[in-house]
């Protein structure tokens, strides 16, 4: 089987596209409320570039120069010295972060161990990231859905685009091949269960453009542990395959070894291109991976940089494989 997710079935089986779009539209208001709640839990402030420029935050005083305009003089500071001083503000230029959300049929899987499907949790995370970035003065974008914008209401516009599910490649399991501006950021949310070679080709195409980003792997806890015993029928959510195991518990060691090897391959891909890999399980709070993502946005002189810590990192508090 080409995909690890091919082992999982009935709850993750492919649904009729119009029916799924209608169901998502009905769930979207609740998902948006949850995304806003999660976003509000994670404090996020405006990150300056730590250099003088246009902005509202005080940066430093410097001596008045012959090329400076008189209105720039800070008379209160100058009154306590023999020199004239100019108040400089910190440059708070916006950074564009491109979001991609895997909406393929495998993301619809939910076991009895989780309160939410992978698709719903991934949607909440993506919308919450968009909300936090907009609050922080950044630009967010989604290929085919949302042009780069820093305007309030971007999360609502993005949610509406997802609910319509009319964009080309809506059910693709890998991010689309698009050209982005150099030094843009990217956040890809998926179960990342495609063959490692296909994933590598997709994300390296972005890295070659100078894009730094994060891969957030969202998995159901059942996909970590294979908690099935006895005679079990597995359905492939995308290929329609069916397979019956007489004693599912005997597959557990081999399955977990394969999953660990797959994740190690993802970690190597992330390390090679300077990105990071987060693993989140749907039985854990959505605030955990979101907090980690926001904490990785660091300001540097000359621009923001999405820090790639490389390798495989579990989100704080996440269930271990």
């Amino acid at each position: 089987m080409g995909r690890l997710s091919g082992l999982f079935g009935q709850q993750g089986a492919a649904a009729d596209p119009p029916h799924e779009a209608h169901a998502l539209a009905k769930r979207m208001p609740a998902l948006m409320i949850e995304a806003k709640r999660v976003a509000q839990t994670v404090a996020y402030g405006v990150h300056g570039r730590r250099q003088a420029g246009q902005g509202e935050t005080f940066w430093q005083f410097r001596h008045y120069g012959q090329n400076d305009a008189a209105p720039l003089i800070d008379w209160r500071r100058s009154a306590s010295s023999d020199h004239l001083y100019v108040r400089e503000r910190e440059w708070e230029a916006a950074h564009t972060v491109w979001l991609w959300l895997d909406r393929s049929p495998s993301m619809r899987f939910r076991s009895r161990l989780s309160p939410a499907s992978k698709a719903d949790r991934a949607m909440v995370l993506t919308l919450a990231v968009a909300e936090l970035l907009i609050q922080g003065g950044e630009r967010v974008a989604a290929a085919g859905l949302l042009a780069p914008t820093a305007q309030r209401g971007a999360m609502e516009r993005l949610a509406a685009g997802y609910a319509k599910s009319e964009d080309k490649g809506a059910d693709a399991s890998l991010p689309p091949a698009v050209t982005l501006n150099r030094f843009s950021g990217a956040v890809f949310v998926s179960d990342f269960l495609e063959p490692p070679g296909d994933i590598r080709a997709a994300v390296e195409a972005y890295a070659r453009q100078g894009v730094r980003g994060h891969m957030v792997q969202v998995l159901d806890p059942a996909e970590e542990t294979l908690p099935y015993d006895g005679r079990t029928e597995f359905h492939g959510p995308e290929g329609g395959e069916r397979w019956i195991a007489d004693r599912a518990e005997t597959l557990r060691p081999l399955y977990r070894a394969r999953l660990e090897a797959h994740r190690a391959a993802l970690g190597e891909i992330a390390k090679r291109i300077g990105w990071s890999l987060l693993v989140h399980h749907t039985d854990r709070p959505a605030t955990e991976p979101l907090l980690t993502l926001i904490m990785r946005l660091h300001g540097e002189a000359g621009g923001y940089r999405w820090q790639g810590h490389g390798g495989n990192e579990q989100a704080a508090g996440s269930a271990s494989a």
Side-chain angles (χ1 to χ4, degrees):
M1 285 173 286
R3 288 175 59 93
L4 286 165
S5 59
L7 289 174
F8 297 94
Q10 295 180 343
Q11 290 170 293
D16 179 62
H19 174 76
E20 175 60 24
H22 180 68
L24 176 60
K26 291 180 64 176
R27 297 196 309 274
M28 188 59 75
L31 294 177
M32 290 175 61
I33 292 173
E34 176 65 8
K36 284 183 176 291
R37 184 194 67 78
V38 171
Q40 290 172 358
T41 303
V42 179
Y44 183 79
V46 176
H47 291 265
R49 292 180 179 258
R50 310 308 298 171
Q51 68 182 65
Q54 295 182 351
E56 298 180 356
T57 305
F58 170 73
W59 169 239
Q60 65 181 1
F61 289 115
R62 65 170 173 81
H63 287 144
Y64 175 78
Q66 62 179 358
N67 294 324
D68 293 322
L72 296 178
I73 298 175
D74 187 285
W75 294 106
R76 178 174 296 181
R77 174 65 180 86
S78 300
S80 61
S81 173
D82 294 332
H83 301 281
L84 294 178
Y85 285 90
V86 171
R87 174 188 289 265
E88 290 186 328
R89 294 183 175 88
E90 186 178 4
W91 183 21
E92 294 170 351
H95 176 230
T96 300
V97 179
W98 291 81
L99 307 175
W100 174 73
L101 170 64
D102 183 352
R103 290 178 286 158
S104 61
S106 72
M107 294 294 289
R108 300 168 195 160
F109 177 74
R110 180 178 70 84
S111 73
R112 296 178 180 178
L113 302 178
S114 174
S117 68
K118 294 189 292 183
D120 283 359
R121 178 56 56 82
M123 180 68 72
V124 167
L125 286 174
T126 302
L127 295 179
V129 168
E131 179 73 4
L132 285 171
L133 289 171
I134 291 296
Q135 290 178 10
E138 307 285 20
R139 290 190 299 265
V140 296
L145 288 175
L146 184 68
T149 179
Q151 296 181 352
R152 297 285 180 173
M155 190 200 80
E156 287 76 7
R157 291 164 55 192
L158 184 60
Y162 283 136
K164 291 179 181 178
S165 296
E166 294 176 350
D167 61 304
K168 185 178 180 180
D171 290 336
S173 299
L174 293 169
V178 297
T179 301
L180 305 182
N181 292 331
R182 188 172 178 80
F183 304 124
S184 294
V187 175
F188 295 160
V189 184
S190 169
D191 55 15
F192 287 110
L193 294 177
E194 292 291 333
D198 294 344
I199 296 173
R200 178 183 295 107
V203 298
E204 284 185 349
Y206 285 85
R208 285 194 295 270
Q209 300 178 49
V211 176
R212 293 180 177 271
H214 296 278
M215 299 161 60
V216 183
Q217 185 182 41
V218 177
L219 294 178
D220 188 283
E223 291 175 308
E224 284 284 356
T225 60
L226 196 69
Y228 306 114
D229 297 305
R231 186 177 177 83
T232 306
E233 181 177 13
F234 297 97
H235 296 183
E238 298 186 13
E241 306 95 337
R242 293 191 177 191
W243 182 58
I244 297 177
D246 290 329
R247 297 177 60 192
E249 65 274 15
T250 64
L251 302 174
R252 200 168 295 137
L254 181 60
Y255 171 81
R256 295 192 63 178
R258 182 180 176 186
L259 181 63
E260 290 170 2
H262 182 83
R263 183 167 299 147
L266 293 181
E268 181 59 30
I269 292 170
K271 182 178 180 180
R272 178 181 302 179
I273 64 177
W275 286 28
S276 71
L277 172 65
L278 282 164
V279 180
H280 172 64
H281 301 114
T282 54
D283 61 338
R284 300 295 305 171
T287 52
E288 293 176 352
L290 182 61
L291 178 60
T292 302
L293 280 172
I294 297 306
M295 290 296 292
R296 288 183 179 179
L297 183 57
H298 296 283
E300 291 187 340
Y304 283 120
R305 185 162 71 93
W306 282 82
Q307 299 287 354
H309 296 274
N312 167 31
E313 179 176 336
Q314 298 281 83
S318 174
S320 59

